[in-house]
Every structure is written in structure tokens, then in C-alpha cells.
Amino acid sequence: MMNQRQFAALDDYFDALLEDPAPQPAAEPERPAVAYADPEEEERRRALESLLATVAELKEEEAAAVEPEVMARPAPLAEPVIKATPKVSTPEVVPEIQADTQVEPQVETQVSAEPAWRNMDTEPRFQALFFEVAGMTFAVPLTHLGGIYQISKLTSLFGKPAWFAGIMTERERQLSVVDTARWAMPGHTQDEEYQYVVTLGESHWGLSCHQLKGTAQLTREQVKWRTTPGSRPWLAGMVKEKMCALLHVDALIALLEQGKNIDGQRV
């Protein structure tokens, strides 16, 4: 549990992440806090199944809304017309053709630029999963969530960063599990006892966490979105009422693939 001083430090930390300090707004009437009760041991499996079912529904709705692109078939090429040339009795002068002469076709070279960073696209209202890691709360839209698993045996690999916890096999699928506390807090050396793994999109990456804090519906107005990636492209924005980071899943996957931590460093 964090004390009041640690909560204040965490608030300052997330404000610094956004790098866009804003003046303090006028005091608003307090809204009732959303209570996330810790699930009982016998209800954990049911809660996980409910979350996964919600994720599957949202993904099906998203897939159904996308119409398949119809490609126009190219028109068939006209067959060449061969005309017979009449024979001429007078001899023709045929120009001499050098065997060494080669005609090189012109090849247009295109330089493909790396796609620019852009923030996540969400519906005006979207569901998000909240989970806790070493006292910090993160959120991820359910449409960008791959799945939730109870953590099991991990197989370590040599040559990996300190934040790489190991490989976990789940239903014949190998997941690369991140020690999220070490990834998010460089220099953190304490061994954590995680309970769950939250996988990212369609990738093989999963973030280990201590506690699932449930889901909630958010509006885009409840998020302070970033407009530029800065040095932390993994941060899509801040959920203002809950003071937690909303993860930019695609950018986070790219960082993990490159072996980089929260600060973009390979450690």
C-alpha cells in the first residue's frame, strides 16, 4: 500500500510524463469514486472469463464494422494484331546491330519513410481494463487487449534484458512475459510476486501485474491525450480521474521488440 507522500509523488511523475503542465482548474464537486473490490479466490476464474468474453465481443464488433476492400480486376489485355507485310523485290538496307549494345531499363527508386507516430483511435466511448503493478495503475483499451492469464511457470532466456521475466507456455502458445515493475522503473531490483499476465493485442508480449482492478467505460474527454510521442511513445495519455497511464499498445510492442525499457534504453 502506498502512503499519501507516495501518492503525491506518483501524481507529479505522471504530470511530468505528459510534459504538458496545465494550470490547476477550479475545484469541482467530488465525484463518487469507483470502488474496485478485490475478487474472492472462488470468483477469480469467473471474473477472468467475463473479461475475456467482453474482449471477444468488442473485437467481433470491430471486425464486422470493417468492410472488405474490393479490388478492381484489371481489364484483359488486347491480343496483338499481326499484319502480314508484302514482300518487296528491292533489297532493303538493314542497319548493323552491335551485339554488345544493351538497353538498361530505368528503375524508379522509392525511399519509404518510417510511418510517423500517431495516437490510438478509439470510439467516443470505450471500455478499458485497469491493472496494478507495484502501486502504479495502468489502463489498456479492451479492443487492444489480447487476453488475461494467471501467471505460471516461466522459462528464463540468456541474453535478455533485466526486465524480461521469461517465456510462459499457455495453450501451446509461447508468451514473452515482461517484469513490468523493472521495465517501468529502471533500477528496480526487488523480486515481485505477480498474479496475472495481460497480453498486448495480437502480439506474443504480456505484461505481468499484481492485481486486476476491473473494467470501466471511458469517454475520450476523460483522457488527456498526447499529440506528440516525445521520449515516451508508449504513453497514449492520462486518465484524469484515476491518475493512471493509458498505454499506447502498438508503440509499446515496438519498444519491447527493440529490447527497450520505459525510457527507450536497452538495459
Side-chain angles (χ1 to χ4, degrees):
M1 298 292 294
M2 294 193 300
N3 56 35
Q4 189 65 31
R5 183 177 180 183
Q6 289 172 318
F7 272 116
L10 185 60
D11 291 350
D12 294 340
Y13 171 71
F14 280 126
D15 284 340
L17 288 182
L18 286 171
E19 300 177 349
D20 185 18
Q24 295 291 334
E28 297 182 358
E30 294 185 359
R31 301 182 182 180
V34 179
Y36 295 100
D38 227 349
E40 297 294 338
E41 189 67 28
E42 63 272 11
E43 295 181 358
R44 286 186 177 181
R45 184 176 299 276
R46 212 173 344 167
L48 285 177
E49 292 176 353
S50 176
L51 285 172
L52 290 174
T54 306
V55 173
E57 284 182 14
L58 288 172
K59 288 191 173 183
E60 288 178 1
E61 292 175 2
E62 188 180 50
V66 179
E67 295 182 357
E69 183 180 359
V70 178
M71 302 293 293
R73 294 185 178 179
L77 297 176
E79 294 184 359
V81 178
I82 303 176
K83 295 182 178 180
T85 55
K87 294 183 179 181
V88 182
S89 58
T90 56
E92 294 183 358
V93 179
V94 180
E96 182 180 358
I97 300 176
Q98 297 181 358
D100 296 336
T101 304
Q102 295 181 355
V103 179
E104 297 182 358
Q106 295 183 354
V107 180
E108 295 183 0
T109 57
Q110 296 181 352
V111 179
S112 58
E114 185 177 348
W117 183 92
R118 57 177 297 179
N119 216 327
M120 292 189 300
D121 291 327
T122 65
E123 296 294 331
R125 293 179 178 272
F126 62 96
Q127 292 280 339
L129 170 73
F130 295 83
F131 59 94
E132 184 179 308
V133 178
M136 296 183 296
T137 302
F138 295 94
V140 56
L142 291 191
T143 52
H144 291 69
L145 177 67
I148 304 169
Y149 306 95
Q150 289 186 319
I151 200 164
S152 59
K153 182 181 178 181
L154 297 175
T155 302
S156 301
L157 296 180
F158 292 104
K160 293 294 185 179
W163 48 260
F164 187 86
I167 297 293
M168 186 179 87
T169 302
E170 180 67 32
R171 297 176 185 176
E172 299 182 356
R173 182 187 179 196
Q174 289 189 330
L175 302 176
S176 298
V177 180
V178 175
D179 186 332
T180 315
R182 294 190 180 186
W183 181 87
M185 295 181 286
H188 182 85
T189 57
Q190 180 179 345
D191 291 332
E192 302 289 342
E193 294 184 2
Y194 296 106
Q195 299 295 321
Y196 302 99
V197 174
V198 176
T199 57
L200 303 174
E202 301 297 328
S203 75
H204 60 90
W205 289 100
L207 302 180
S208 51
C209 67
H210 292 99
Q211 181 183 0
L212 300 175
K213 302 188 72 175
T215 61
Q217 187 180 72
L218 299 175
T219 64
R220 289 191 62 86
E221 289 72 23
Q222 289 178 282
V223 180
K224 185 176 182 182
W225 298 94
R226 302 191 76 183
T227 55
T228 58
S231 59
R232 299 176 179 88
W234 58 270
L235 180 62
M238 290 291 303
V239 183
K240 294 178 284 189
E241 293 182 2
K242 302 181 185 300
M243 285 306 297
C244 72
L246 181 65
L247 298 178
H248 190 309
V249 173
D250 292 338
L252 176 54
I253 292 172
L255 280 178
L256 297 175
E257 292 286 354
Q258 297 170 23
K260 296 180 179 179
N261 67 357
I262 194 172
D263 293 328
Q265 303 295 323
R266 292 185 176 91
V267 292

